[in-house]
Amino acid sequence: MGAAIVSALLTEILIPVAAVIGIAFALLQWTFVSKVKVSPERHGVPNNKNGLDDRLLAEEEDGLNDHNVAVKCAEIQNAISEGATSFLFTEYQYVGIFMVAFAILIFLFLGSVEGFSTKEQPCTYSKDKACKPALFNAIFSTVAFLLGAITSVVSGFLGMKIATYANARTTLEARKGVGKAFITAFRSGAVMGFLLAANGLLVLYIAINLFKLYYGDDWEGLFEAITGYGLGGSSMALFGRVGGGIYTKAADVGADLVGKVERNIPEDDPRNPAVIADNVGDNVGDIAGMGSDLFGSYAESSCAALVVASISSFGVNHDLTGMCYPLLVSSMGIIVCLITTLFATDFFEIKAVKEIEPALKRQLIISTALMTIGIAIVSWLALPPSFTIFNFGAQKEVKNWELFFCVAIGLWAGLVIGFVTEYFTSNAYSPVQDVADSCRTGAATNVIFGLALGYKSVIIPIFAIAVSIFVSFSLAAMYGIAVAALGMLSTIATGLAIDAYGPISDNAGGIAEMAGMSHKIRERTDALDAAGNTTAAIGKGFAIGSAALVSLALFGAFVSRAAISKVDVLTPKVFIGLIVGAMLPYWFSAMTMKSVGSAALKMVEEVRRQFNSIPGLMEGTTKPDYATCVKISTDASIKEMIPPGALVMLTPLIVGTFFGVETLSGVLAGALVSGVQIAISASNTGGAWDNAKKYIEAGASEHARTLGPKGSDPHKAAVIGDTIGDPLKDTSGPSLNILIKLMAVESLVFAPFFATHGGLLFKIF
């Protein structure tokens, strides 16, 4: 077998050091962003007539009063920030109640496995050894759940704060050129990316070390309890994604339908009553929800890998370095992403609009290439030349280079999914241009073309996921799939930076429009936003692809923990679970789509009411009542996020308790298979419709100009398509990847209870 080159002591130093470096780099980027001043007032003696920073007055636009612009930008930024903070605090109050209730449920279910006994019990996988009592496993699983939930909430909240801090700064920097604005938006995204990746790693590492004080040599029990961390992260992400998604799309649909289609006013026009709610929504849905979502994926893939490793030779022989291989991969990811970020902010300067999208794509390619080398180094140093991995009751011998291939194939599959997503959602390529062209004959043909594009975009990502699964399972069983998922998420800091860049740029454009800045600046922010739309779609592709691998790895861990020898689809118990599980993503999507629709209906009625009843609103002499629209979105999203959340959280508990582990394994498999397909098609359809609209609005090519300008019939058809796509790409699609992960990790956490007391109905009959 041999031993790893890196010692256990060095491993214990390297992981927290990498996390601290990530946090320090995030704070450094924050200081660069904060150098852009939003407030026109300076403390002390002003150095010019307006009291403005000289740097902000560089290349002052002709005929533009900078003092007024800076004041307006600061006002709008404050309104967006206050709206977002207020919504998240309200959401977290409700989520906090759920968190406490579910923590009690975890304790009661897991504690009752051995009748709340405080006696040691035989280990699940090594019956000759004694493991810690079930009661203490229940306590530590509950603590891990709360830790994961709090870290997820903090990740989302910090992301929102960073985005609302950066949006107006990006707008003001756009006066100096598109390059300066790009760097400000990208640095802000990097703050979020590195904070989230480093915090997730650090909290997990500290939790493992604290739990070890009690568990000692019982690594099987220790890492089983740690799975609660993944459950906490994903359960909060579900409410963040669904609640934030309903909020943002209710506002967006209301603003677009009345403002653009009925009143023929531009996007983000300050006369539109829903405009502040729309910009708040970008931060609570696309930023806070996405941050929690990707944190959940990271936590779950780490937990899935650790659970399988704990019953393999790493855990049996107490090889700490081998055991911490998933954490070392994540640590290397932080260092690689740090180097990659410098390529965007320091090594290459953006001078023209056409350079924005290539610069963002370059980030993905560089991070993937460097990470491949990083994985090779970690695999060589941290793993013994050969070791055994638990494979459904047997131990499979694996070489260290085989594990390298597992992680690398997950990493490169992520890149393939990213670029396929970009091809189908960017208006630089024919699929989106064909969708735009279909708007000539109205909204119906636009919808038909968009749906067809979404279905077609599923093909290559599914093949990429399938190849990853086959290769990684062949090489290293379920552990191979878990580390392949980790490979896909290893460059999470760069992925999040690119993803968060989109909503920040979108907000910057909105602020430019509302502050009455020149057409030239709006063109620059629109260019940043168009690139951000595509990168947001790429980010969703990564999230969905990694969710498929993570949930499969968790499914494998659940099957092992529940002592199921095989999952046979020909048995009625499993097949009924399979068919019901495949239906769940449709039920969930129906709930979230309907929620957006009913909230948007209220928003449309309110926006129409204000346009019809407030004198001087269309003329711009009177301000609209923004607060009422913000309240409509807030109330609707809080109320509507509960039923879909309850569906996902209660399904495994009900199925496992009443129908048993075999039926539950069928439900998990069915939800995974259908959920991934719907999630990819929904996200890509919505992204394509959005960029088809932007393609017509930009009028950058001869073809686009024949479809425009804004307000033309093809443009109105494109707006309708974009409006239909909004809940698909920002509510239902992204939330589905949480559904498949969350049900799998919840089943794993409750597996001891289901294995002991589950299947009540089948026991009765």
Side-chain angles (χ1 to χ4, degrees), residues 395-665:
Q395 291 284 349
K396 177 184 172 73
E397 189 165 329
V398 179
K399 305 275 193 295
N400 57 3
W401 60 266
E402 290 177 316
L403 216 51
F404 158 72
F405 275 113
C406 293
V407 185
I409 198 164
L411 177 68
W412 284 92
L415 189 70
V416 168
I417 292 169
F419 278 118
V420 170
T421 305
E422 189 226 2
Y423 174 72
F424 280 103
T425 57
S426 169
N427 55 29
Y429 303 105
S430 60
V432 169
Q433 291 173 12
D434 289 345
V435 171
D437 192 65
S438 71
C439 294
R440 290 176 191 279
T441 47
T445 43
N446 179 28
V447 170
I448 293 165
F449 270 69
L451 288 172
L453 176 146
Y455 298 147
K456 194 176 177 184
S457 71
V458 172
I459 299 165
I460 297 173
I462 291 299
F463 276 122
I465 293 167
V467 170
S468 304
I469 291 167
F470 181 78
V471 173
S472 50
F473 187 84
S474 301
L475 293 173
M478 276 299 172
Y479 187 68
I481 294 172
V483 293
L486 208 62
M488 206 177 273
L489 291 164
S490 59
T491 53
I492 188 172
T494 294
L496 263 171
I498 292 170
D499 222 344
Y501 155 89
I504 291 168
S505 302
D506 192 359
N507 259 207
I511 291 169
E513 183 74 47
M514 284 185 271
M517 294 172 91
S518 72
H519 180 66
K520 193 191 228 177
I521 290 177
R522 183 70 225 225
E523 275 184 349
R524 288 171 188 166
T525 56
D526 276 352
L528 293 170
D529 182 23
N533 252 352
T534 303
T535 56
I538 291 171
K540 287 175 190 131
F542 265 95
I544 295 161
S546 62
L549 294 178
V550 169
S551 43
L552 185 57
L554 290 164
F555 175 72
F558 162 73
V559 168
S560 298
R561 182 62 187 85
I564 303 170
S565 54
K566 61 178 181 177
V567 179
D568 183 358
V569 294
L570 295 177
T571 58
K573 281 184 187 178
V574 175
F575 193 79
I576 59 167
L578 196 66
I579 203 161
V580 168
M583 171 273 294
L584 286 174
Y586 291 93
W587 189 1
F588 179 83
S589 297
M591 290 168 107
T592 50
M593 296 281 286
K594 181 90 184 292
S595 298
V596 171
S598 56
L601 197 66
K602 291 176 190 161
M603 188 67 75
V604 166
E605 286 169 355
E606 175 57 25
V607 174
R608 278 179 183 157
R609 183 195 68 76
Q610 291 198 32
F611 272 124
N612 293 331
S613 63
I614 299 176
L617 184 55
M618 271 303 285
E619 293 74 28
T621 55
T622 315
K623 270 190 171 183
D625 177 9
Y626 297 127
T628 302
C629 290
V630 169
K631 189 175 186 309
I632 287 171
S633 261
T634 303
D635 292 349
S637 55
I638 296 297
K639 180 181 149 204
E640 300 283 355
M641 76 179 180
I642 295 166
L647 173 71
V648 178
M649 298 301 291
L650 294 178
T651 298
L653 291 179
I654 292 167
V655 174
T657 305
F658 293 104
F659 298 93
V661 288
E662 287 182 318
T663 306
L664 181 53
S665 65

Side-chain angles (χ1 to χ4, degrees), residues 153-179:
V153 163
V154 169
S155 299
F157 188 76
L158 283 176
M160 180 278 295
K161 276 294 180 193
I162 292 155
T164 53
Y165 183 80
N167 50 17
R169 286 168 168 79
T170 304
T171 309
L172 292 170
E173 285 291 88
R175 296 182 298 183
K176 299 182 191 176
V178 76

Side-chain angles (χ1 to χ4, degrees), residues 139-149 207 211 225-230 232-233:
I139 292 168
F140 281 99
S141 292
T142 307
V143 171
F145 168 78
L146 292 171
L147 264 178
F211 283 22
I226 282 289
T227 54
Y229 183 71

Side-chain angles (χ1 to χ4, degrees), residues 677-698:
Q677 328 273 346
I678 305 169
I680 295 172
S681 68
S683 293
N684 290 351
T685 294
W689 276 327
D690 193 351
N691 274 343
K693 176 200 73 176
K694 284 190 164 60
Y695 175 74
I696 295 171
E697 288 175 349

Side-chain angles (χ1 to χ4, degrees), residues 741-765:
K741 292 180 307 185
L742 183 51
M743 281 173 49
V745 75
E746 188 181 335
S747 301
L748 175 59
V749 169
F750 286 97
F753 175 82
F754 297 149
T756 311
H757 302 301
L760 292 178
L761 283 181
F762 292 133
K763 284 174 183 172
I764 294 167
F765 299 110

Side-chain angles (χ1 to χ4, degrees), residues 725-748:
D726 275 337
L728 284 172
K729 74 178 169 65
D730 290 322
T731 312
S732 296
S735 303
L736 278 171
N737 66 64
I738 304 176
L739 173 140
I740 57 177
K741 292 180 307 185
L742 183 51
M743 281 173 49
V745 75
E746 188 181 335
S747 301
L748 175 59

